[in-house]
Coordinates of all heavy atoms in Angstrom, one line a residue:
E187 N 3.4 -2.4 -26.9 CA 3.8 -2.1 -28.3 C 4.3 -0.6 -28.4 O 3.5 0.3 -28.0 CB 2.7 -2.4 -29.3 CG 3.2 -2.1 -30.7 CD 2.1 -2.2 -31.7 OE1 1.0 -2.7 -31.4 OE2 2.2 -1.6 -32.9
Y188 N 5.4 -0.5 -29.0 CA 6.0 0.9 -29.2 C 6.2 1.0 -30.7 O 6.4 0.0 -31.4 CB 7.3 1.1 -28.5 CG 7.2 1.2 -27.0 CD1 6.9 0.1 -26.2 CD2 7.5 2.5 -26.4 CE1 6.9 0.3 -24.8 CE2 7.4 2.6 -25.0 CZ 7.1 1.5 -24.2 OH 7.1 1.7 -22.8
L189 N 6.3 2.3 -31.1 CA 6.9 2.6 -32.5 C 8.1 3.4 -32.3 O 8.2 4.3 -31.5 CB 5.8 3.4 -33.3 CG 4.7 2.6 -33.8 CD1 3.7 3.5 -34.6 CD2 5.1 1.5 -34.8
A190 N 9.1 3.0 -33.1 CA 10.4 3.7 -33.0 C 10.9 4.0 -34.4 O 10.9 3.1 -35.3 CB 11.4 2.9 -32.3
L191 N 11.3 5.2 -34.7 CA 11.9 5.5 -36.0 C 13.4 5.6 -35.7 O 13.9 6.4 -34.9 CB 11.4 6.9 -36.5 CG 12.0 7.2 -37.9 CD1 11.4 6.2 -39.0 CD2 11.7 8.6 -38.3
S192 N 14.2 4.7 -36.4 CA 15.6 4.5 -36.1 C 16.4 4.9 -37.3 O 15.9 4.7 -38.5 CB 15.9 3.1 -35.7 OG 15.3 2.8 -34.5
L193 N 17.6 5.3 -37.1 CA 18.6 5.5 -38.2 C 19.0 4.2 -38.8 O 19.1 3.2 -38.1 CB 19.8 6.3 -37.7 CG 19.6 7.8 -37.5 CD1 18.7 8.1 -36.3 CD2 21.0 8.4 -37.3
G194 N 19.2 4.2 -40.1 CA 19.7 3.0 -40.8 C 18.7 2.1 -41.4 O 17.5 2.3 -41.3
K195 N 19.2 1.2 -42.1 CA 18.4 0.2 -42.9 C 18.8 -1.2 -42.4 O 19.9 -1.4 -42.0 CB 18.9 0.4 -44.4 CG 18.3 -0.5 -45.4 CD 19.0 -0.1 -46.8 CE 18.3 -0.9 -47.8 NZ 17.8 -0.2 -48.9
T196 N 17.7 -2.0 -42.4 CA 18.0 -3.4 -41.9 C 17.5 -4.4 -43.0 O 16.5 -4.1 -43.6 CB 17.4 -3.7 -40.6 OG1 17.7 -5.0 -40.2 CG2 15.8 -3.6 -40.6
K197 N 18.2 -5.5 -43.1 CA 17.7 -6.6 -44.0 C 16.8 -7.5 -43.3 O 16.2 -8.4 -43.9 CB 18.9 -7.3 -44.7 CG 19.8 -7.9 -43.7 CD 21.0 -8.5 -44.5 CE 22.0 -9.1 -43.6 NZ 23.1 -8.3 -43.1
H198 N 16.7 -7.4 -42.0 CA 15.9 -8.3 -41.2 C 14.5 -7.8 -41.0 O 14.3 -6.6 -40.7 CB 16.5 -8.5 -39.8 CG 17.9 -9.0 -39.8 ND1 18.3 -10.3 -40.2 CD2 19.1 -8.4 -39.6 CE1 19.6 -10.4 -40.2 NE2 20.1 -9.3 -39.8
E199 N 13.5 -8.7 -41.1 CA 12.1 -8.3 -40.9 C 11.7 -8.4 -39.4 O 10.9 -7.6 -38.9 CB 11.1 -9.2 -41.7 CG 11.2 -9.1 -43.2 CD 10.9 -7.7 -43.7 OE1 9.9 -7.1 -43.3 OE2 11.6 -7.2 -44.6
K200 N 12.3 -9.3 -38.7 CA 12.1 -9.5 -37.3 C 13.4 -9.8 -36.6 O 14.3 -10.5 -37.1 CB 11.2 -10.7 -37.0 CG 9.8 -10.5 -37.5 CD 8.9 -11.6 -37.1 CE 7.4 -11.3 -37.6 NZ 6.5 -12.2 -37.0
I201 N 13.6 -9.2 -35.4 CA 14.8 -9.3 -34.6 C 14.4 -9.5 -33.2 O 13.5 -8.8 -32.7 CB 15.7 -8.1 -34.8 CG1 16.0 -7.8 -36.2 CG2 17.0 -8.2 -33.9 CD1 16.7 -6.4 -36.5
Q202 N 15.1 -10.4 -32.5 CA 14.9 -10.5 -31.0 C 16.3 -10.1 -30.4 O 17.3 -10.6 -30.8 CB 14.5 -11.9 -30.5 CG 14.4 -11.9 -29.0 CD 13.9 -13.2 -28.4 OE1 14.6 -14.2 -28.4 NE2 12.7 -13.2 -27.9
I203 N 16.2 -9.2 -29.5 CA 17.4 -8.7 -28.8 C 17.3 -9.2 -27.3 O 16.4 -8.8 -26.6 CB 17.5 -7.2 -28.8 CG1 17.5 -6.7 -30.3 CG2 18.8 -6.7 -28.2 CD1 17.2 -5.2 -30.4
D204 N 18.2 -10.0 -26.9 CA 18.2 -10.6 -25.6 C 19.6 -10.2 -25.0 O 20.6 -10.9 -25.2 CB 18.0 -12.1 -25.6 CG 17.9 -12.7 -24.2 OD1 18.2 -12.0 -23.2 OD2 17.6 -13.9 -24.1
A205 N 19.6 -9.0 -24.4 CA 20.9 -8.4 -24.0 C 20.7 -7.7 -22.6 O 19.9 -6.8 -22.5 CB 21.4 -7.5 -25.0
P206 N 21.4 -8.2 -21.6 CA 21.2 -7.6 -20.2 C 21.6 -6.2 -20.2 O 22.6 -5.7 -20.8 CB 22.1 -8.5 -19.3 CG 23.0 -9.2 -20.2 CD 22.4 -9.2 -21.6
L207 N 20.9 -5.4 -19.3 CA 21.2 -4.0 -19.2 C 21.6 -3.6 -17.8 O 21.1 -4.1 -16.8 CB 20.0 -3.1 -19.6 CG 19.5 -3.3 -21.0 CD1 18.3 -2.5 -21.3 CD2 20.6 -3.0 -22.0
K208 N 22.5 -2.6 -17.7 CA 22.9 -2.1 -16.4 C 23.3 -0.6 -16.7 O 23.7 -0.2 -17.8 CB 24.2 -2.9 -16.0 CG 24.7 -2.6 -14.6 CD 25.8 -3.5 -14.3 CE 26.3 -3.3 -12.9 NZ 27.4 -4.1 -12.6
R209 N 23.3 0.2 -15.6 CA 23.7 1.6 -15.7 C 25.2 1.6 -16.2 O 26.0 0.8 -15.7 CB 23.6 2.3 -14.4 CG 23.6 3.8 -14.5 CD 23.2 4.5 -13.2 NE 21.8 4.4 -12.9 CZ 20.9 5.2 -13.4 NH1 21.2 6.1 -14.3 NH2 19.6 5.0 -13.0
N210 N 25.5 2.5 -17.1 CA 26.8 2.6 -17.6 C 27.7 3.3 -16.6 O 27.5 4.5 -16.3 CB 26.8 3.5 -18.9 CG 28.1 3.5 -19.7 OD1 29.1 3.4 -19.1 ND2 28.0 3.6 -21.0
P211 N 28.8 2.6 -16.1 CA 29.6 3.2 -15.0 C 30.3 4.5 -15.5 O 30.6 5.4 -14.7 CB 30.6 2.1 -14.6 CG 30.5 1.1 -15.7 CD 29.2 1.3 -16.5
K212 N 30.6 4.6 -16.8 CA 31.4 5.8 -17.3 C 30.4 6.9 -17.5 O 30.9 8.1 -17.6 CB 32.1 5.4 -18.6 CG 33.2 4.4 -18.4 CD 33.9 4.0 -19.7 CE 34.8 2.9 -19.5 NZ 35.0 2.1 -20.6
H213 N 29.1 6.7 -17.8 CA 28.2 7.7 -18.0 C 26.9 7.4 -17.2 O 26.0 6.7 -17.7 CB 27.8 7.8 -19.5 CG 29.0 7.9 -20.4 ND1 29.6 9.1 -20.7 CD2 29.8 7.0 -21.1 CE1 30.7 9.0 -21.5 NE2 30.8 7.7 -21.7
P214 N 26.8 8.0 -16.0 CA 25.7 7.6 -15.1 C 24.3 7.9 -15.7 O 23.3 7.3 -15.2 CB 25.9 8.4 -13.9 CG 27.3 9.0 -14.0 CD 27.8 8.8 -15.4
L215 N 24.1 8.7 -16.7 CA 22.8 9.0 -17.2 C 22.4 7.9 -18.3 O 21.3 7.9 -18.7 CB 22.7 10.4 -17.9 CG 22.9 11.6 -17.0 CD1 22.8 12.9 -17.8 CD2 21.7 11.6 -15.9
K216 N 23.4 7.1 -18.7 CA 23.1 6.1 -19.7 C 23.1 4.7 -19.1 O 23.6 4.5 -18.1 CB 24.3 6.2 -20.7 CG 24.4 7.3 -21.6 CD 25.5 7.1 -22.7 CE 25.5 8.2 -23.7 NZ 26.5 7.9 -24.8
F217 N 22.4 3.9 -19.9 CA 22.5 2.4 -19.6 C 23.2 1.8 -20.7 O 23.4 2.4 -21.8 CB 21.0 1.9 -19.5 CG 20.4 2.2 -18.2 CD1 19.9 3.5 -17.9 CD2 20.3 1.3 -17.1 CE1 19.4 3.9 -16.7 CE2 19.7 1.6 -15.9 CZ 19.3 2.9 -15.7
A218 N 23.7 0.5 -20.5 CA 24.5 -0.2 -21.5 C 24.2 -1.6 -21.4 O 23.7 -2.2 -20.4 CB 25.9 0.1 -21.3
V219 N 24.5 -2.3 -22.5 CA 24.4 -3.8 -22.5 C 25.7 -4.3 -21.8 O 26.8 -4.0 -22.2 CB 24.4 -4.3 -24.0 CG1 24.6 -5.9 -24.0 CG2 23.2 -3.9 -24.7
V220 N 25.4 -5.0 -20.7 CA 26.5 -5.4 -19.8 C 26.2 -6.8 -19.3 O 25.0 -7.1 -18.9 CB 26.6 -4.5 -18.6 CG1 27.7 -5.0 -17.6 CG2 26.9 -3.1 -19.0
Q221 N 27.1 -7.8 -19.4 CA 26.8 -9.2 -19.1 C 26.3 -9.3 -17.7 O 25.4 -10.2 -17.4 CB 28.1 -10.0 -19.2 CG 28.4 -10.4 -20.7 CD 27.1 -11.0 -21.4 OE1 26.7 -10.4 -22.4 NE2 26.6 -12.1 -21.0
Q222 N 26.7 -8.5 -16.7 CA 26.3 -8.6 -15.3 C 25.0 -7.8 -15.1 O 24.5 -7.7 -14.0 CB 27.3 -8.1 -14.3 CG 28.7 -8.7 -14.5 CD 29.5 -8.1 -15.6 OE1 29.2 -7.0 -16.2 NE2 30.6 -8.7 -15.9
G223 N 24.4 -7.3 -16.2 CA 23.2 -6.5 -16.0 C 21.9 -7.4 -15.8 O 22.0 -8.6 -15.7
K224 N 20.8 -6.7 -15.7 CA 19.5 -7.4 -15.6 C 19.0 -7.8 -16.9 O 19.2 -7.1 -17.9 CB 18.5 -6.4 -14.9 CG 18.8 -6.1 -13.5 CD 17.7 -5.2 -12.9 CE 17.9 -4.9 -11.5 NZ 16.9 -3.9 -10.9
T225 N 18.3 -9.0 -16.9 CA 17.7 -9.5 -18.2 C 16.9 -8.5 -18.9 O 16.1 -7.8 -18.2 CB 16.8 -10.7 -17.8 OG1 17.6 -11.7 -17.2 CG2 16.2 -11.3 -19.0
A226 N 17.0 -8.4 -20.2 CA 16.2 -7.5 -21.0 C 16.0 -8.1 -22.3 O 17.0 -8.5 -23.0 CB 16.9 -6.1 -21.1
V227 N 14.8 -8.2 -22.7 CA 14.4 -8.8 -24.0 C 13.5 -7.9 -24.8 O 12.5 -7.4 -24.2 CB 13.7 -10.2 -23.8 CG1 13.3 -10.8 -25.1 CG2 14.6 -11.1 -23.0
T228 N 13.8 -7.7 -26.0 CA 13.0 -6.8 -26.9 C 12.8 -7.5 -28.3 O 13.8 -7.9 -28.9 CB 13.7 -5.4 -27.1 OG1 14.1 -4.9 -25.9 CG2 12.9 -4.5 -27.9
N229 N 11.6 -7.6 -28.7 CA 11.3 -8.1 -30.1 C 11.0 -6.9 -31.0 O 10.2 -6.0 -30.5 CB 10.2 -9.1 -30.0 CG 10.5 -10.3 -29.3 OD1 11.6 -10.9 -29.4 ND2 9.6 -10.8 -28.5
I230 N 11.5 -6.9 -32.2 CA 11.2 -5.8 -33.1 C 10.8 -6.4 -34.5 O 11.3 -7.4 -34.9 CB 12.3 -4.8 -33.2 CG1 13.6 -5.4 -33.8 CG2 12.7 -4.1 -31.9 CD1 14.7 -4.4 -34.1
E231 N 9.9 -5.6 -35.1 CA 9.5 -5.9 -36.5 C 9.7 -4.7 -37.3 O 9.2 -3.6 -37.0 CB 8.0 -6.3 -36.5 CG 7.7 -7.6 -35.8 CD 6.2 -7.8 -35.7 OE1 5.4 -7.1 -36.3 OE2 5.8 -8.8 -35.1

Side-chain angles (χ1 to χ4, degrees):
E187 179 188 344
Y188 287 73
L189 284 177
L191 185 69
S192 295
L193 280 70
K195 180 181 183 127
T196 182
K197 58 184 178 270
H198 304 288
E199 294 298 315
K200 293 185 178 192
I201 303 168
Q202 181 176 70
I203 305 163
D204 186 347
L207 299 180
K208 187 176 182 182
R209 197 171 287 281
N210 186 331
K212 294 178 187 150
H213 305 278
L215 293 178
K216 289 185 174 186
F217 284 75
V219 171
V220 179
Q221 280 315 115
Q222 307 79 13
K224 291 183 177 178
T225 300
V227 179
T228 307
N229 293 317
I230 64 175
E231 295 176 3

